[in-house]
Amino acid sequence: MEEQDYKTPKALMAAVVGMGLLIIAGVVILVGVVIHRMNSPKHPAIGTTIPLTDARTAHLALGPEEHLLSMARVRDDLLALHIAGKGQERIMLWNVVTGQIQPGLEAKAP
């Protein structure tokens, strides 16, 4: 029997070498991004400017069958309160800094 000479095609070798170089470049870029992010200055979170403990309190008069469904932050110092009860819903705006409740939207259930 004759021994067969098998040679790897040059295109296949070029593809393997090219993919190896891409893997090395990707790892170098990933390490560079991680190092860059570790050395960048820290930015404070947006929510840290809201005073959580303050002498000001908000008094929200809810009816006997009304209840607070949810709260959402509109701005750093403004919260939206979703209130429901008695077949109607309303949204009130609470200014956290001043403690004032402002009227918002009101909707009745169909």
Side-chain angles (χ1 to χ4, degrees):
M1 250 204 258
E2 293 181 30
E3 283 187 36
Q4 295 181 353
D5 248 353
Y6 181 75
K7 293 189 176 184
T8 306
K10 291 186 180 194
L12 181 62
M13 286 300 290
V16 168
V17 169
M19 285 187 275
L21 291 175
L22 285 175
I23 289 172
I24 292 171
V27 168
V28 168
I29 290 172
L30 181 65
V31 168
V33 167
V34 168
I35 290 172
H36 175 71
R37 288 190 180 179
M38 286 173 53
N39 291 330
S40 66
K42 304 286 187 246
H43 298 288
I46 293 173
T48 58
T49 59
I50 297 176
L52 297 178
T53 57
D54 196 357
R56 297 182 186 100
T57 57
H59 298 285
L60 180 62
L62 295 178
E65 295 183 18
E66 289 184 327
H67 58 278
L68 181 67
L69 287 179
S70 65
M71 278 193 298
R73 184 178 60 139
V74 179
R75 290 190 319 246
D76 284 345
D77 59 348
L78 191 65
L79 294 176
L81 308 173
H82 185 187
I83 301 166
K86 293 184 180 180
Q88 65 180 1
E89 294 184 12
R90 60 186 172 145
I91 296 175
M92 305 295 284
L93 298 175
W94 174 27
N95 190 331
V96 179
V97 175
T98 62
Q100 295 177 341
I101 301 289
Q102 303 165 358
L105 300 173
E106 215 170 293
K108 293 186 179 183

